[in-house]
Amino acid sequence: MIILAIVTTIAIGWVGAAFGHDYMNFPQLGTILSVATMGGFIMGTIRKNNHR
């Protein structure tokens, strides 16, 4: 699960940076999306562990 989270975060960050730079003149979009993605994975893990 950790490897999936890392790969997904990197991919979303890369795509977000490319899209933000090319179309929106906002290259920081990749960083924002990466942090949001990793936060989602962390919150999902915390929620999963609290239901036990």
Side-chain angles (χ1 to χ4, degrees):
M1 184 69 178
I2 294 172
I3 300 298
L4 175 66
I6 292 170
V7 170
T8 304
T9 301
I10 290 171
I12 288 178
W14 180 69
V15 170
F19 180 77
H21 182 67
D22 289 343
Y23 297 110
M24 299 171 56
N25 197 21
F26 185 57
Q28 295 85 5
L29 182 64
T31 305
I32 293 169
L33 292 177
S34 294
V35 170
T37 303
M38 189 53 73
F41 276 111
I42 292 170
M43 289 172 55
T45 301
I46 290 171
R47 177 175 283 168
K48 186 174 108 176
N49 288 339
N50 283 342
H51 281 291
R52 292 183 184 178

